[in-house]
């Protein structure tokens, strides 16, 4: 007797299912960022400021060039955001000891406090969704997200697993 494996149901690849998936991503992103947007607006900041705070917090002493590579924004855009974060006392800039041309970024205590506040909001939202969905769904969600991001970035996440 032949071992028959169930054939995956391709209905999730129909246009209406894909459109619903895209729509859910837009709604989820809106709700994932809305509370943080309100907090950031108190300081006159936006989502670009939030991304800078997040990645500088994850990688203290990250260089401006490394941050540009992650964010994929123009130098001019990053410069505008950094100038505001530095002048308002949320980020400090220093020169790399091995190469004085490289500028290294770190959060100040004020930056750490704000980033932690934003992190707690989003971590709580994601944690609640993860608990509700369960481990298999979380693993599937991770696979879907990895499938969306580019191959170079995907490798970083797979190597760090």
């Amino acid at each position: 007797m032949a071992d028959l494996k169930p054939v995956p149901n391709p209905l999730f690849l129909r246009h209406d299912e894909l459109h619903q998936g895209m729509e859910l991503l837009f709604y989820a992103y809106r709700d994932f960022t809305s509370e943080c947007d309100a907090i950031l607006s108190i300081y006159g900041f936006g989502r670009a400021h939030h991304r800078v705070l997040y990645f500088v917090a994850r990688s203290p002493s990250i260089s401006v060039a490394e941050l540009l590579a992650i964010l994929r924004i123009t130098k001019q855009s990053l410069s505008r955001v950094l100038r505001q974060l530095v002048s308002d006392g949320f980020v400090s800039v220093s020169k790399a000891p091995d190469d004085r041309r490289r500028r290294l970024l770190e959060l100040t205590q004020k930056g750490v406090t704000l980033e932690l506040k934003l992190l707690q909001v989003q971590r709580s939202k994601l944690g609640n969704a993860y608990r509700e969905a369960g481990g298999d769904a979380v693993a599937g969600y991770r696979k879907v997200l990895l499938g969306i991001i580019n191959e170079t970035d995907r490798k970083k996440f797979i190597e760090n697993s």
Side-chain angles (χ1 to χ4, degrees), residues 2-152:
D3 184 22
L4 298 176
K5 293 183 181 176
V7 177
N9 185 343
L11 292 178
F12 60 88
L13 293 174
R14 292 188 350 220
H15 287 287
D16 57 333
E17 292 294 324
L18 292 171
H19 288 193
Q20 184 185 57
M22 290 185 292
E23 195 166 330
L24 284 168
L25 269 174
F26 284 120
Y27 276 91
Y29 183 69
R30 178 201 65 194
D31 293 347
F32 185 67
T33 57
S34 64
E35 202 172 333
C36 289
D37 288 347
I39 294 167
L40 290 160
S41 71
I42 294 167
Y43 302 92
F45 296 162
R47 290 183 185 163
H49 297 84
H50 186 185
R51 286 189 293 273
V52 168
L53 291 168
Y54 179 85
F55 285 108
V56 172
R58 301 291 77 69
S59 300
S61 295
I62 189 170
S63 72
V64 171
E66 291 167 325
L67 187 58
L68 277 169
I70 291 170
L71 298 177
R72 291 193 181 165
I73 59 175
T74 65
K75 285 182 187 178
Q76 185 178 3
S77 295
L78 181 58
S79 178
R80 180 187 56 77
V81 169
L82 272 179
R83 187 172 28 255
Q84 190 176 10
L85 287 169
V86 170
S87 70
D88 290 354
F90 292 90
V91 173
S92 66
V93 182
S94 62
K95 293 183 185 208
D98 59 329
D99 182 352
R100 308 289 290 159
R101 295 170 297 174
R102 285 184 54 227
R103 295 180 300 148
L104 306 178
L105 308 172
E106 290 199 39
L107 296 184
T108 62
Q109 188 54 53
K110 190 175 174 182
V112 168
T113 301
L114 175 57
E115 196 278 330
L116 186 57
K117 183 188 251 185
L118 299 168
L119 182 68
Q120 287 170 336
V121 166
Q122 290 185 322
R123 193 170 41 202
S124 173
K125 227 178 242 307
L126 195 57
N128 289 337
Y130 275 7
R131 272 187 291 287
E132 227 175 89
D136 289 342
V138 171
Y141 171 72
R142 185 176 188 278
K143 282 182 184 178
V144 169
L145 291 179
L146 284 170
I148 292 172
I149 65 175
N150 70 61
E151 193 174 332
T152 303

